[in-house]
């Protein structure tokens, strides 16, 4: 496999001998993928980003984990192997991990779906690396320099296992400013791409994603199962999709025979994508769009007396840091209250959160409390988490939660 540009640095990663304090060691032994700088008791003085950290137990000098050193992050070591058995960190090691991740997606890929997350960062043993597949296009997003010394064999294995014809490299803001590589965000590094917008299929429904300039890797794959479920609930119904982005819920509703769907988003560009995605499929219902602040536009709809059989509210993360959690909860409470007023008699309200710092139980309890205060009988029909291609292997890896609330009157 030949890449358009090679990695700048010829740096050969070295091995580091690392010892942690008791708390840090316990976390590693239990399988947690993060080692913070304040947990490190002993490490080589000349440690560089990308070095292989061999973590020894405090007492018996037994290897308890292998990780990659990151000098640019408070998470100083990112674990890639918990040392239950001895391994050699080489191309075969990474190939095996990618193959294992692919097999975990087997059930999903047996459906009429050709878009999926092949590598979900830490949860698949690749902290700081995401790999999404859209039909024959593989989009790799890097969040850390730790992967640069190992990138070529990893990309080869990702391509072989996914059978992608094209690889697009996406970079976090930090990586875009790094001088350790020659990659450019949105660059095609393998194969060719005739159009930056790529079409794909999700449970029989057609979509498209801008893999070069779109948010993250171009689309949000994590809500796939919820979109399918909302589609099935929408036949013959009126639907409001709040924070619709590219119309994921809206398009599934239209494709499943909704009579009217309204996509609401602050971004006119996102609504253009929602309309375009809708037109990729055959539908007979009406697709309306509203561009504006979700809170204000929902209040305006309430003032007009509008209600919908199905209301979906899927906002962006409101709590990107711990100090924002209380404000995030207030916003979720507002959305639940507004959503209830917009949900028709015997309708269903779907409330979602992707804020990892707002725990699932806290989110569900908040929704129940707010809806119970509205003096309208309802039942919690379903609570869902991540789709199968977003496995969760440690607490902080869980962020997505979604509640379905059906009103009885």
């Amino acid at each position: 496999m030949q890449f358009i540009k090679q990695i700048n640095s010829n740096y050969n990663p070295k091995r580091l001998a690392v010892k942690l304090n008791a708390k840090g060691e316990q976390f590693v032994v239990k399988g947690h993928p993060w080692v913070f700088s304040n947990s490190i008791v002993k490490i080589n003085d000349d440690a560089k980003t990308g070095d292989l950290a061999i973590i020894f137990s405090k007492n018996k000098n037994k290897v308890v984990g292998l990780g990659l050193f990151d000098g640019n992050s408070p998470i100083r070591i990112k674990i890639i192997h918990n040392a239950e058995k001895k391994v050699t960190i080489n191309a075969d090691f990474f190939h095996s991990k990618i193959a294992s991740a692919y097999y975990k997606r087997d059930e999903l890929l047996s459906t009429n779906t050709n878009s999926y997350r092949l590598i979900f960062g830490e949860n698949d043993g690749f902290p700081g690396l995401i790999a999404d597949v859209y039909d024959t296009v593989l989009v790799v997003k890097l969040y850390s320099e730790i992967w640069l010394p190992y990138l070529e064999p990893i990309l080869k294995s990702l391509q072989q296992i996914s059978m992608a014809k094209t690889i697009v490299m996406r970079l976090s803001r930090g990586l875009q400013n790094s001088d350790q590589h020659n990659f450019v965000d949105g660059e095609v590094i393998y194969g060719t791409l005739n159009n930056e917008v790529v079409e794909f299929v999700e449970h029989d429904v057609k979509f498209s994603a801008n893999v070069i300039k779109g948010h993250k890797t171009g689309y949000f794959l994590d809500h796939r199962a919820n979109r399918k479920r909302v589609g099935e609930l929408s036949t013959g119904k009126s639907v409001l999709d709040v924070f619709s982005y590219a119309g994921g819920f809206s398009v599934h509703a239209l494709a499943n025979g909704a009579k009217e769907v309204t996509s609401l988003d602050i971004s006119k560009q996102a609504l253009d994508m929602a309309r375009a995605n809708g037109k990729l499929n055959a539908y007979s219902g009406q697709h309306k769009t509203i561009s504006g602040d979700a809170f204000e536009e929902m209040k305006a709809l309430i003032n007009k007396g509008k209600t919908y059989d199905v209301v979906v509210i899927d906002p962006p993360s409101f709590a990107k840091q711990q100090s924002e959690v209380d404000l995030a909860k207030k916003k979720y409470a507002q959305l639940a209250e507004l959503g209830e007023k917009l949900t028709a008699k015997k309708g269903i309200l779907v409330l979602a959160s992707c804020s990892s710092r707002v725990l699932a139980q806290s989110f569900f309890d908040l929704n129940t409390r707010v809806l119970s205060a509205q003096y309208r009988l309802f039942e919690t029909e379903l609570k869902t988490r991540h789709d199968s291609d977003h496995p969760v292997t440690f607490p902080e890896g869980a962020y997505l939660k979604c509640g379905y609330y059906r009103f009885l009157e």
Side-chain angles (χ1 to χ4, degrees), residues 1 42 164 241 272 402:
M1 177 186 281
K42 185 179 178 183
D241 180 6
D272 288 342
C402 189

Side-chain angles (χ1 to χ4, degrees), residues 33 79-81 93-105 116-132 147 158 387-394 397:
I79 301 297
I80 60 171
H81 180 70
F93 169 81
F94 292 120
H95 188 88
S96 176
K97 288 176 86 69
I98 294 166
S100 175
Y102 182 81
Y103 291 131
K104 287 177 187 174
R105 279 79 174 160
Y116 62 99
R117 176 152 291 182
L118 174 53
I119 298 295
F120 182 31
E122 287 89 340
N123 299 282
D124 285 308
F126 288 86
L129 189 154
I130 297 292
D132 287 346
W147 293 110
L158 286 169
D387 203 353
S388 59
D389 59 340
H390 288 66
V392 175
T393 59
F394 69 113

Side-chain angles (χ1 to χ4, degrees), residues 47 173 293 295:
R173 201 166 295 171
D293 176 83
F295 292 87

